[in-house]
Amino acid sequence: METELTQRPITILIAALGGEGGGVLADWIIAAATAEDYPVQSTSIPGVAQRTGATTYYIELFPVRAAELQGRRPVMTLAPAPADIDVMLASELLEAGRALQNGYVTPERTTLIASTHRIYTVEEKIALGDGRYDSERILAAAKALAKRAILTDFHKLAANTGAMINAALFGALAGSGILPLPRAACEEAIRSAGKGAEASLRGFSLGYAAAEGKAAPAAGLSTDVDAPADTDIPEAFLAERMRKDFPTEVQEMLAQGVARVTAFQDRAYAVLYLDRLEPIAKLDQARPGAEKSKLTRETARFLALWMSYEDVIRVADLKSRRSRFERVRTEVQAKPGEPVNIVEYLKPGVEEAAALLPPALSRRLVAWAEKRGLMHKLNVGLYVKTSSVTGFLMLRLLAALRPLRRMSARYVEEQALIERWLAAIAAAPDPELALEIALCGRLIKGYGDTNRRAKANFLRIFDTLVDGTTVTGPMERAKAVRAAREGALADPEGRGLEATLATHGIAPLPPQPKIIQFMRRPGAKRKAA
């Protein structure tokens, strides 16, 4: 009986970031379809650098075997069209949001398979405050606009098996039942590729189960930290302390904070983190009418970030960890035994170096450099090849200064500011004011000039509004602190903050001078005097 060409191709669009194996995923689909004698065609569009867009792969698969077409060939297109996609795969949540915005996901037709984890864009990272896009809005839109939405953290599923995310996405695609491809054909396509087949098959299996609703990924975020062993304080002690002294709603945030500050210094530092939070938690629970544990949660978030501030020791430690070298090798898809050269660009200044010294020596060094005009002249860039023995040992030597950090000028300065911030939160007479003061921790971020501007804004708000007497009532002060904080986050130069303070009769500070350096044009000749 002659087969009638009444069917249309199944359209598949894949959006993947660099290093996630989107091209390999497309190759697996093509290999499985070809092995099963289905006509298939694919094209790809490269993405943009600096995390402003993904590489997309478009595949059309005709669901009738070539042997049944009696020599005829289906006509398939080379590019995707909005409202014409059967399966949309996104390797990251914001990429799913872009697909939704561009009209590739429709409730009449599209199955959306997307990972719920985030890899932040450049715009999100450089924002002075919390510049992250609202993941909940994307998830709600995905569930509303897709005919079927398979949403889970495929990145974590894959990482648990040592595979890349493309294997878990391929498993979810096979498990969704959209394609006429049996599981065995998909697994054979992975085996045929050779490299990393066993790990990929494990990731495929978890993705397949997730599409069937059988997988339940563990809750929580990956800490990606290599915490130092501190045998004086057992890890079980910290876990018991969190369970006993803090409400359930903040347990996950506390676990992340403890892991971060432990990796930054040691477990004794994590005990200090919990000691600082315990009075805030008790105050939070005792106050009626406040949103349950919100003050504790937000304070825990920004306290962990502040206590693990960026300094030369931390940067050297992060850039010389084994996990980072492994991640780089995975991203560039290096083969076993293939050499990978990593060159880091570092630009430590006089202040960063002085911050490692005891306070008295630090002040002398900074004063000496300022007197001779060397503060900016000595701020030069360094290229360090961390894949070489010399470069790696240099970073590990800096990282080994961790036990001496508590004696450094930067540590003393940061702890004093932290204590001032926490004392103001605890002393606030109103829960709303306490929360607004806690959220001022959002101002502290970055390093170098960025960190100096952030602290200047923080101290300006504290000196004028938190500790000042210009605004008296608790509710009025809470509104003033909120407006000032938002003004500071919106304008890195501080003029927005000063304009906000001026509305309360506070005289604005003059603009800060900037150094202008004139550079001679390359190749230009100096004119004779």
Side-chain angles (χ1 to χ4, degrees), residues 202-328:
R202 292 192 296 268
F204 175 91
S205 180
L206 286 181
Y208 196 99
E212 293 183 325
K214 296 179 181 178
L221 301 175
S222 173
T223 58
D224 190 27
V225 294
D226 301 326
D230 188 353
T231 55
D232 293 336
I233 302 174
E235 187 175 355
F237 170 81
L238 295 172
E240 178 62 19
R241 173 85 182 276
M242 288 187 286
R243 186 195 64 78
K244 183 180 68 173
D245 296 338
F246 296 90
T248 306
E249 303 84 46
V250 300
Q251 294 291 322
E252 182 177 345
M253 181 65 68
L254 287 177
Q256 298 293 325
V258 165
R260 185 179 180 94
V261 299
T262 301
F264 178 80
Q265 190 63 35
D266 50 35
R267 288 180 186 155
Y269 200 50
V271 172
L272 176 61
Y273 172 72
L274 295 178
D275 288 343
R276 285 170 162 170
L277 284 173
E278 187 175 352
I280 304 295
K282 291 180 179 178
L283 188 67
D284 199 9
Q285 295 297 307
R287 282 175 170 167
E291 185 176 339
K292 193 172 184 180
S293 301
K294 185 174 182 180
L295 176 62
T296 307
R297 184 171 59 253
E298 295 304 318
T299 305
R301 181 201 312 275
F302 296 115
L303 178 60
L305 293 172
W306 199 341
M307 287 181 66
S308 57
Y309 57 86
E310 299 291 339
D311 63 358
V312 173
I313 298 173
R314 176 169 169 78
V315 171
D317 181 32
L318 292 174
K319 289 185 177 296
S320 59
R321 288 181 180 177
R322 175 182 295 180
S323 58
R324 184 173 187 274
F325 288 102
E326 292 174 349
R327 185 165 62 249
V328 171

